[in-house]
Amino acid sequence: MKTSAFLLFALPLLATAAGAGEVRFRILGDVAMASNPNGAYANVNVGDQVELSCEVFTINPPPTVVAPGQWVNYAVDTATMTITLGTDTVPFTSGSPVVGMVDAFPVSDGVQGLSASMGSKNMNFSVGHNSGLWNSVDPFTNLGTHPIVVDGSFSYTFEITGGGTFIDIFPTSIVVEFVGTGTNFCFGDGSGRTCPCGNNSAAQDESGCLNSFGQGARLRAFGNASVANDTLSLSGTQMPDSSALYFQGTSPQSGGMGVVFGDGLRCAGGTIVRLGTKLNSAGASQYPVGADAPISVRGGVAAGDTRHYQVWYRNAADFCTAWTFNLSNGVTIVWNN
């Protein structure tokens, strides 16, 4: 059942679209009421598990929130929007849904704006509570599973209506996932080339060899790898706050296994292009940012080219070998028109 409504004076801010398939929101729940289910929802029963899934268009850098309680709205890539109830999946039909995020804790955090026609019925979702749902309004800083907490200001709308149907769904968690572009390879987990001093990372991390912080640097790509509409961005995380060089190669080293280099593995080889050097903050950086040239321009790529990307970073601590640097995993990108 729905509890007391949360109060929030909110100023909306619409994020300008950069590219689809960057961040996926998955809203999980259970059917609490199923009155007169019909059409695509005819098989819905109370207790069925529900998943509302969509990918959003984000921007880089994220918008700046200038007022407490300000909503930031991210447009949904409607081609990715579905709702699954039990064993049936219903696609997006029409509408202009957005994912609106607000970070106003301790007043109330929330998400709103997911309203669309799904299988020719109206689907509406919003949730708010004062338990610190988000760390910010930037989806990339909120990756992971966020349980829905029933607290003093908790409220929700998660329902499907139309044609006499009313399906009420109780939300249990919101999952924010990175939707990567390309293929990650050359992990420092010992599955290919062994790291130089046994500093293998965990297999599930899909990162480079461990650094002095006990982490392997992770490189991920997101955005559109198109030479005509290049929104591709390389994001490096789990590094020391030091310099990081993003570079491109024309071939994978040793068939993708990499070769020992410094405290890690060099994965990208062939003809090398240095895309840019960044200074990590909170262990992370990315290319391009601001006035940086797009990757396709800086790397001189053409439609149909396959290129391999990696991050070299300084790790000056006395760790592993006498060298003072390490590298991330690699990412392979096939460029299109």
Side-chain angles (χ1 to χ4, degrees):
M1 69 183 160
K2 299 174 175 65
T3 56
S4 59
F6 65 102
L7 299 177
L8 206 61
F9 294 99
L11 300 172
L13 181 64
L14 181 63
T16 304
E22 297 172 355
V23 177
R24 179 186 298 113
F25 284 79
R26 295 169 50 226
I27 296 156
L28 309 180
D30 302 292
V31 174
M33 178 186 296
S35 174
N36 190 33
N38 57 54
Y41 300 90
N43 297 322
V44 172
N45 297 294
V46 172
D48 282 351
Q49 293 184 335
V50 180
E51 177 178 317
L52 172 62
S53 179
C54 64
E55 296 174 15
V56 302
F57 296 87
T58 62
I59 65 170
N60 179 26
T64 301
V65 174
V66 296
Q70 183 176 18
W71 290 92
V72 175
N73 292 335
Y74 298 92
V76 170
D77 178 7
T78 55
T80 69
M81 188 172 183
T82 60
I83 187 167
T84 300
L85 299 93
T87 59
D88 294 331
T89 297
V90 180
F92 167 85
T93 305
S94 62
S96 301
V98 298
V99 173
M101 299 177 64
V102 67
D103 171 32
F105 182 75
V107 178
S108 185
D109 291 354
V111 61
Q112 67 170 8
L114 270 170
S115 299
S117 177
M118 308 287 291
S120 301
K121 293 189 183 297
N122 300 319
M123 191 284 305
N124 295 289
F125 174 83
S126 66
V127 66
H129 60 76
N130 61 11
S131 294
L133 186 66
W134 309 125
N135 297 317
S136 74
V137 295
D138 178 9
F140 287 108
T141 67
N142 290 286
L143 298 176
T145 299
H146 303 269
I148 301 296
V149 178
V150 179
D151 54 31
S153 67
F154 170 77
S155 69
Y156 79 93
T157 298
F158 195 1
E159 61 189 20
I160 297 162
T161 61
T165 290
F166 177 75
I167 299 172
D168 185 35
I169 303 159
F170 185 83
T172 56
S173 61
I174 300 176
V175 181
V176 187
E177 298 175 331
F178 182 90
V179 181
T181 301
T183 303
N184 304 324
F185 75 104
C186 189
F187 307 123
D189 59 6
S191 58
R193 189 78 63 197
T194 301
C195 291
C197 57
N199 53 325
N200 295 341
S201 56
Q204 65 270 20
D205 202 33
E206 295 192 347
S207 64
C209 299
L210 294 181
N211 54 40
S212 64
F213 286 74
Q215 296 179 312
R218 299 180 69 196
L219 178 64
R220 298 294 185 265
F222 62 89
N224 191 14
S226 163
V227 294
N229 181 30
D230 179 5
T231 62
L232 190 72
S233 180
L234 299 172
S235 175
T237 58
Q238 300 184 176
M239 298 178 283
D241 286 347
S242 57
S243 58
L245 170 65
Y246 290 77
F247 65 96
Q248 170 189 285
T250 54
S251 63
Q253 286 278 22
S254 297
M257 294 180 60
V259 296
V260 171
F261 189 46
D263 289 349
L265 302 175
R266 181 174 170 183
C267 306
T271 301
I272 298 297
V273 175
R274 297 187 176 197
L275 300 174
T277 300
K278 299 298 178 182
L279 184 63
N280 294 324
S281 176
S285 58
Q286 57 190 33
Y287 183 92
V289 176
D292 291 337
I295 294 172
S296 60
V297 174
R298 187 73 183 91
V301 301
D305 285 348
T306 298
R307 295 292 182 265
H308 311 276
Y309 298 90
Q310 198 172 9
V311 180
W312 173 102
Y313 63 95
R314 186 165 296 283
N315 186 191
D318 183 11
F319 172 76
C320 194
T321 72
W323 298 103
T324 57
F325 63 87
N326 204 328
L327 300 98
S328 70
N329 62 282
V331 178
T332 297
I333 299 290
V334 179
W335 287 88
N336 54 54
N337 291 325

